[in-house]
């Protein structure tokens, strides 16, 4: 059964928030890339990608995340990712933890400013931002 891919826009103060759900793969990743470019073209320089509802991410999805990081750095912007921890407080795997595991396995998670939720991501503590 196919999982619907969706990207929705939100704003939290100065931050543009793109909430992504479904599978990030060869077919869907260009949609996210286009939405990121549209946000930057609209003058947004502070971007949160909420990946907590992403259930699958392949190399093309990772490629979009790395390209987004490069784009935001080139325009002196800020990028923060929402990635839930691998496990829920009660035990089992959390929704969205797949992306966290993929980025860690590839050794690129450290490149991103990762937060557990949108509230902490949009907090104006820039001490961790690159």
């Amino acid at each position: 059964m196919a999982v619907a891919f969706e990207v929705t826009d939100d704003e939290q103060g100065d931050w543009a928030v793109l909430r992504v759900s479904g599978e990030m793969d060869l077919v869907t990743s260009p949609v996210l890339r286009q939405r990121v470019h549209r946000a930057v073209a609209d003058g947004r320089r502070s971007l949160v990608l909420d990946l907590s509802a992403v259930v699958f991410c392949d190399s093309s999805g990772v490629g979009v995340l790395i390209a987004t990081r490069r784009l935001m750095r080139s325009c002196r912007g800020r990028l923060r990712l929402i990635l839930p921890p691998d496990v829920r407080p009660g035990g089992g795997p959390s929704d969205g933890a797949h992306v966290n595991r993929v980025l860690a396995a590839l050794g690129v998670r450290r490149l991103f400013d990762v937060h557990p939720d949108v509230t902490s991501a949009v907090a104006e503590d820039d001490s961790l931002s690159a």
Side-chain angles (χ1 to χ4, degrees):
M1 181 172 124
V3 177
F5 179 79
E6 186 176 29
V7 181
T8 57
D9 299 283
D10 191 14
E11 289 187 15
Q12 302 270 336
D14 292 338
W15 292 88
V17 179
L18 296 180
R19 297 179 196 276
V20 185
S21 62
E23 298 181 353
M24 286 176 46
D25 58 23
L26 186 62
V27 173
T28 61
S29 292
V31 175
L32 178 57
R33 182 185 312 267
Q34 180 182 35
R35 297 293 287 275
V36 166
H37 281 267
R38 186 181 314 152
V40 171
D42 288 345
R44 304 312 299 251
R45 295 297 180 264
S46 298
L47 180 64
V48 172
L49 295 181
D50 183 349
L51 306 175
S52 58
V54 173
V55 296
F56 175 80
C57 180
D58 70 6
S59 60
S60 56
V62 173
V64 169
L65 297 178
I66 291 172
T68 298
R69 177 182 182 267
R70 190 178 311 121
L71 174 65
M72 296 310 291
R73 289 173 66 91
S74 73
C75 68
R76 300 186 187 274
R78 301 180 288 177
L79 172 64
R80 296 180 180 171
L81 302 184
I82 307 303
L83 294 174
D86 279 342
V87 293
R88 290 186 181 125
S94 66
D95 294 338
H98 174 79
V99 179
N100 210 356
R101 288 191 302 273
V102 168
L103 294 179
L106 293 173
V108 296
R109 187 182 184 280
R110 62 182 171 72
L111 298 176
F112 297 97
D113 186 1
V114 176
H115 294 264
D117 54 49
V118 173
T119 303
S120 65
V122 300
E124 286 305 317
D125 175 16
D126 286 343
S127 61
L128 299 176
S129 292

